[in-house]
Amino acid sequence: MNKSLRNLMLYVLIVIIPSTVISFLFLDMRMKNNLKEESHRTEWVGSIHKTTWNDLISETVTSLDMLSITIETGIDTLEEIQPLLSQAQKTDPRYGGIHLLNSDGDLLTGSNKLVIGTDFSKYSYIQEVIAAKDIVISNQLETLNNGQRVIGIGFPVTNNHELSYILLAHIRVDYIQNVMKVLTPDDQLYVMNAKGDPIMGLNTQNQEIEESGEWLSIPFDMIPWSMSIKINGQDKKALFKDSAVILVLIGIFFHIFFLFVLYILLKRRAAIEKKQNEIQKLELVGTLAASTAHEIRNPLTGINGLIQLLSEKYTDPQDQFYFTVINKEINRINEIVGEFLILGKPTAQKMESIDLRDVLMELDPLIASEAAYSSITYNKAIPPSHVMILCTKDQMKQVILNVTKNAFESMKPNGSLTISLIKLENTSTITITDTGIGIPKADMDKIFNPFYTSKETGTGLGLVVCKRIIESFNGEISISSKENNGTKVTITLPLAKE
């Protein structure tokens, strides 16, 4: 898979899919919350209209009840009733007319002359009043001769439980609609009769309830009617517009997250490539060392033997000094070749269970001698019990000598070197602490890099060799240091199983 395709797939997985899913969930949540808010608002609208209708019916019934009492107790002729009905209509704008019918439903008199000649006895709700002797409201709208639409309410006037008259009140539909429009001018609603048929509406084109959208049905208390109010959900375009800022922020967040992931992957890839380069470099050095080590050491052996013979022949102090220098340099070449060999490909090592205390005690005279020669205070702390590890003894000595050598080279006279060995439950720890010049913070990440050195004559392989040896023993080596404040080398090794 090439890099572009991998980045594209990563972009889809980190940006496109999450931002799309979260944006969808956010919009869905917004729509549900909006619908919930609209449902609560619609319930509030319904409660207002329900209260208005209950008050309208209650006030109408109260008004008709007062008229019925007046008719029963104080009026004897129809001529006296007609002005009373006309006065009641004029004082209350809700009425389209108030009429008096006999017990058979025939019109006797009324406040609106437009209904003269109308046979109310055939109206179903008038027949219900006659039969039940109770208040009945019409289930259908009536249209007067002047085109005015009204709702009829029949009120029985009784005497000793016998029906004497019927008061018929026509409630103006336009009056009711105006009241409803003042209360909630923008809401769409229908008033339904007992059969569920719409008889009037607000902000509607016709009397048929639209199938689209959600509707809230609220029953009235005083009449067997109900009201259906449309729940206005937010327009999707408006919702997208209102949510645009949040959606953009979601997209920006995931793009930033995508760039962060790319940065982490690039950093990780760079670290892997760097490690691979170091491994390849070490392998190259190891291959070179393996192929040339014997060719280098064989001549050195011959040179060393001849120098030994010459040193026995020429005993002059000046000559002996030269022979010493030559031997020292030959030994230095041998050490460098040995370091190159260790850096090569791992070879089978014969590891055995070794007491770390024995290693330190065998090295003690060498370290103490070097400390005395350099005017360095040497301290050691070794536990009384065995500290057994699996290792190669000579290589373990090489690590400790290499680290102590670096410590001596970093210190001035009157410095201090401390070596301590600690035995824990499953591991052992060797700490080598000096009071030398320390390592600059900028160089701490480079100290284990091959060929990196701060010394004029160093190879830059000493610590790399130490790390390779310790890791071959399944251990770890770490260094902590502050410039002008000394260095602490910590070597952790697993204890050998008994």
Side-chain angles (χ1 to χ4, degrees):
M1 185 184 297
N2 59 44
K3 184 177 179 181
S4 299
L5 182 58
R6 185 177 65 248
N7 288 341
L8 177 61
M9 291 181 63
L10 196 64
Y11 181 78
V12 171
L13 290 173
I14 294 178
V15 177
I16 301 299
I17 294 177
S19 59
T20 302
V21 171
I22 292 180
S23 297
F24 174 79
L25 293 175
F26 173 76
L27 290 173
D28 183 64
M29 182 186 69
R30 284 287 304 272
M31 292 180 68
K32 288 180 179 179
N33 288 340
N34 178 260
L35 183 62
K36 188 176 181 180
E37 291 174 0
E38 282 297 320
S39 298
H40 290 318
R41 196 193 71 83
T42 303
E43 291 176 1
W44 173 76
V45 170
S47 66
I48 291 177
H49 289 299
K50 178 179 179 179
T51 302
T52 302
W53 272 86
N54 288 338
D55 292 344
L56 175 68
I57 300 301
S58 177
E59 291 171 3
T60 301
V61 170
T62 301
S63 177
L64 294 177
D65 188 39
M66 292 178 63
L67 284 173
S68 68
I69 294 173
T70 303
I71 292 171
E72 288 179 1
T73 58
I75 297 178
D76 297 326
T77 63
L78 295 177
E79 288 75 10
E80 294 177 346
I81 295 175
Q82 197 278 333
L84 181 64
L85 299 179
S86 297
Q87 182 64 29
Q89 178 183 348
K90 290 179 181 180
T91 57
D92 196 333
R94 84 185 72 182
Y95 294 124
I98 304 177
H99 311 287
L100 184 66
L101 312 180
N102 63 17
S103 59
D104 294 325
D106 299 322
L107 178 64
L108 298 177
T109 185
S111 63
N112 191 343
K113 297 180 180 180
L114 296 175
V115 300
I116 295 176
T118 302
D119 187 4
F120 290 107
S121 63
K122 296 181 180 180
Y123 286 22
S124 59
Y125 71 98
I126 297 298
Q127 294 176 1
E128 289 182 31
V129 174
I130 296 172
K133 299 177 185 178
D134 199 359
I135 302 171
V136 179
I137 186 169
S138 173
N139 269 333
Q140 300 294 334
L141 297 182
E142 300 176 37
T143 303
L144 303 181
N145 292 336
N146 61 353
Q148 187 178 66
R149 295 185 305 160
V150 295
I151 299 173
I153 299 179
F155 187 92
V157 180
T158 58
N159 186 6
N160 294 327
H161 303 290
E162 294 295 330
L163 183 64
S164 302
Y165 301 101
I166 298 174
L167 278 172
L168 172 60
H170 283 152
I171 307 298
R172 292 168 50 193
V173 171
D174 60 341
Y175 170 82
I176 299 174
Q177 287 179 325
N178 288 336
V179 172
M180 295 170 68
K181 196 164 187 176
V182 168
L183 294 174
T184 55
D186 299 323
D187 287 284
Q188 184 179 357
L189 58 87
Y190 292 92
V191 176
M192 324 284 290
N193 62 18
K195 296 180 180 179
D197 300 324
I199 59 173
M200 62 178 295
L202 180 65
N203 297 324
T204 57
Q205 299 297 325
N206 51 58
Q207 298 298 332
E208 297 295 331
I209 295 182
E210 299 178 7
E211 294 181 358
S212 61
E214 295 189 29
W215 294 76
L216 177 66
S217 180
I218 299 177
F220 294 142
D221 291 338
M222 302 192 67
I223 51 177
W225 288 8
S226 63
M227 177 168 45
S228 291
I229 308 173
K230 188 173 184 179
I231 301 174
N232 297 319
Q234 187 171 358
D235 182 57
K236 291 185 178 180
K237 291 183 178 180
L239 181 63
F240 274 104
K241 187 176 180 180
D242 293 342
S243 305
V245 175
I246 301 298
L247 298 178
V248 169
L249 290 176
I250 291 173
I252 291 174
F253 169 79
F254 280 104
H255 276 87
I256 293 174
F257 182 68
F258 171 70
L259 294 176
F260 176 74
V261 171
L262 278 185
Y263 168 76
I264 296 298
L265 292 177
L266 288 173
K267 190 174 180 181
R268 182 181 177 186
R269 190 178 302 120
I272 293 173
E273 290 176 354
K274 182 179 179 182
K275 188 173 181 179
Q276 289 175 343
N277 290 336
E278 292 178 357
I279 293 173
Q280 291 174 357
K281 190 185 297 184
L282 291 175
E283 287 179 353
L284 178 61
V285 172
T287 303
L288 178 63
S291 63
T292 60
H294 293 293
E295 284 76 2
I296 294 175
R297 280 182 169 174
N298 287 337
L300 285 177
T301 302
I303 293 171
N304 194 33
L306 291 174
I307 294 299
Q308 185 67 32
L309 292 174
L310 290 172
S311 66
E312 293 175 358
K313 182 177 180 180
Y314 298 96
T315 58
D316 184 83
Q318 185 69 25
D319 295 335
Q320 290 296 318
F321 172 74
Y322 293 146
F323 294 143
T324 303
V325 172
I326 294 171
N327 280 323
K328 184 177 180 180
E329 293 303 315
I330 290 174
N331 291 332
R332 180 161 144 62
I333 293 173
N334 271 318
E335 288 179 1
I336 293 174
V337 172
E339 289 179 345
F340 273 87
L341 285 173
I342 292 175
L343 289 175
K345 293 183 178 179
T347 57
Q349 299 185 73
K350 185 180 179 181
M351 293 197 296
E352 54 186 338
S353 183
I354 300 294
D355 190 345
L356 272 178
R357 299 184 309 157
D358 295 341
V359 175
L360 293 176
M361 292 307 296
E362 290 177 13
L363 294 176
D364 187 66
L366 296 175
I367 299 172
S369 174
E370 183 69 22
Y373 177 78
S374 303
S375 301
I376 301 296
T377 301
Y378 170 49
N379 302 299
K380 62 180 181 294
I382 299 176
S385 60
H386 295 289
V387 183
M388 308 302 293
I389 65 166
L390 282 176
C391 69
T392 303
K393 191 172 186 179
D394 290 339
Q395 290 187 350
M396 193 69 234
K397 287 182 178 181
Q398 182 180 353
V399 171
I400 297 173
L401 286 175
N402 203 334
V403 174
T404 55
K405 178 183 175 183
N406 289 340
F408 285 129
E409 291 175 351
S410 70
M411 288 188 288
K412 296 178 181 180
N414 300 321
S416 176
L417 175 69
T418 302
I419 299 178
S420 65
L421 175 61
I422 301 174
K423 181 180 180 181
L424 302 175
E425 183 177 355
N426 297 312
T427 60
S428 60
T429 302
I430 302 173
T431 57
I432 302 173
T433 308
D434 65 60
T435 58
I437 59 175
I439 304 172
K441 187 177 181 180
D443 296 339
M444 286 297 295
D445 294 334
K446 307 174 186 177
I447 55 178
F448 288 113
N449 291 348
F451 310 111
Y452 170 78
T453 180
S454 59
K455 304 173 187 177
E456 294 181 359
T457 59
T459 62
L461 296 175
L463 287 177
V464 181
V465 170
C466 292
K467 184 176 182 182
R468 177 64 66 90
I469 292 172
I470 295 301
E471 288 179 348
S472 71
F473 300 156
N474 297 318
E476 294 179 355
I477 180 171
S478 62
I479 298 177
S480 60
S481 180
K482 289 184 179 180
E483 196 169 4
N484 302 319
N485 199 25
T487 301
K488 179 180 180 181
V489 178
T490 303
I491 301 171
T492 303
L493 294 163
L495 294 176
K497 296 181 179 179
E498 295 182 1

